[in-house]
Amino acid sequence: MLEIQHLCISYGAIQTVKDVSFTVNSGQIVGIVGESGSGKSTTIRSILGILPGKGKVTSGNILFDQQNLTQFTGKEWSGIRGKEISMIFQHPSESMDPVLRIGDQFYESMRAVQKIDRPTAMKHAKELLNDLQLTDIERILKSYPFELSGGMCQRVAIAMAMANGTRLLLADEPTSALDVTVQAQTIKVLLGLRKKYGTAILLVTHNMGVVANMADMVGVMYHGKLVEWGTREQVLHHPTHEYTRRLIKAIPKMQGSEKQIL
């Protein structure tokens, strides 16, 4: 579905992503892990062509269904963004319009990419929110983003990203702004989406525990390079790079038990 080929990205004269290559198959969950500044968020944003400031892909290809996204124009993006590929952000409330109610934002996001009337849009929004195990859905749809908790906002953002039947969901640090209990709920929700809809998920995180719970394939980024790539079992149990070994050692364990807190 998605193939990143020798991707290089720079902000002005500063190269932040260096010769990165990996793939995401249909229905697969791929986790890219690394510390802040490693280039993982820059990589995922480049897929949708939303690099901030002076960010620019300087070489390499981003292929989605064999289409090279690095060559897309504005009009071509309209058939991809929010429809074939959607994204959820680290702080979901900041990606929402603060002066529009949640129901209005669902309708606007769906109407932007498909012909749909409001009743049909609201029915679909309620189905998605129910799938994400939210209750009091009518109140949520009538609320503004600031009236919802962080966990609710994250689930609403996931539902909005899924509203147009997206095939690839990009998740930029989807749990880092949440407390531990809500992190676990969010992971469960994302796994449920993959199971029900067959959605492929590419997530980036600094938390090795998150990818240990979710990912089929794992990549490790360090100083802009992909230094490790393999199945979850390969990376977690047989890491080849010293940085990966340090990340794994940083996963906390319960006292008196071999069970990891993930």
Side-chain angles (χ1 to χ4, degrees):
M1 175 185 288
L2 179 74
E3 185 175 1
I4 308 297
Q5 300 176 334
H6 305 290
L7 184 67
C8 295
I9 301 172
S10 295
Y11 288 87
I14 301 173
Q15 189 177 43
T16 56
V17 174
K18 309 166 186 176
D19 196 26
V20 167
S21 299
F22 63 88
T23 60
V24 181
N25 295 323
S26 297
Q28 192 175 55
I29 298 179
V30 173
I32 304 296
V33 65
E35 63 192 22
S36 296
S38 63
K40 59 189 189 300
S41 291
T42 293
T43 298
I44 201 172
R45 283 175 172 268
S46 72
I47 295 169
L48 274 182
I50 54 172
L51 291 170
K54 296 181 179 179
K56 183 179 180 181
V57 174
T58 55
S59 63
N61 299 308
I62 302 172
L63 303 180
F64 180 75
D65 284 347
Q66 302 303 312
Q67 303 173 87
N68 194 343
L69 302 184
T70 64
Q71 298 176 0
F72 268 29
T73 64
K75 185 177 182 180
E76 289 171 317
W77 277 118
S78 64
I80 293 289
R81 290 186 185 132
K83 186 176 182 180
E84 297 290 333
I85 308 175
S86 296
M87 187 166 180
I88 56 175
F89 297 87
Q90 181 177 358
H91 301 286
S93 61
E94 295 177 7
S95 65
M96 298 179 190
D97 190 327
V99 299
L100 278 184
R101 298 181 191 274
I102 297 300
D104 294 328
Q105 297 194 51
F106 264 107
Y107 179 44
E108 291 297 326
S109 66
M110 284 186 259
R111 191 176 66 168
V113 299
Q114 59 178 302
K115 292 182 178 180
I116 193 169
D117 57 40
R118 188 179 180 88
T120 303
M122 290 302 94
K123 180 182 178 181
H124 188 40
K126 291 174 184 178
E127 291 172 350
L128 284 167
L129 292 173
N130 184 65
D131 286 344
L132 299 184
Q133 302 174 9
L134 284 168
T135 57
D136 201 8
I137 291 173
E138 291 290 349
R139 181 189 69 82
I140 291 172
L141 291 172
K142 293 177 181 177
S143 298
Y144 294 97
F146 70 86
E147 295 179 307
L148 303 179
S149 68
M152 280 188 176
C153 266
Q154 187 63 285
R155 284 197 240 184
V156 167
I158 293 170
M160 285 186 186
M162 294 295 299
N164 294 303
T166 191
R167 296 168 54 216
L168 174 62
L169 181 63
L170 309 177
D172 188 2
E173 298 279 8
T175 64
S176 65
L178 307 174
D179 63 43
V180 175
T181 301
V182 181
Q183 283 185 27
Q185 292 171 349
T186 302
I187 290 171
K188 185 177 180 181
V189 161
L190 290 171
L191 289 171
L193 287 175
R194 193 264 291 269
K195 183 177 181 180
K196 181 170 183 177
Y197 297 104
T199 308
I201 301 173
L202 172 60
L203 68 96
V204 299
T205 180
H206 64 271
N207 189 334
M208 184 63 90
V210 171
V211 297
N213 268 285
M214 290 186 63
D216 303 308
M217 301 295 294
V218 178
V220 179
M221 288 195 72
Y222 183 60
H223 289 176
K225 296 182 178 181
L226 194 70
V227 297
E228 191 106 39
W229 174 260
T231 65
R232 175 174 55 187
E233 290 75 17
Q234 288 171 339
V235 173
L236 291 178
H237 299 296
H238 306 286
T240 60
H241 197 277
E242 176 58 29
Y243 177 66
T244 308
R245 290 193 282 269
R246 294 204 306 267
L247 283 178
I248 294 170
K249 287 181 181 179
I251 302 175
K253 297 182 180 180
M254 295 176 64
Q255 294 294 325
S257 171
E258 293 182 358
K259 183 179 179 180
Q260 293 174 330
I261 303 175
L262 301 174

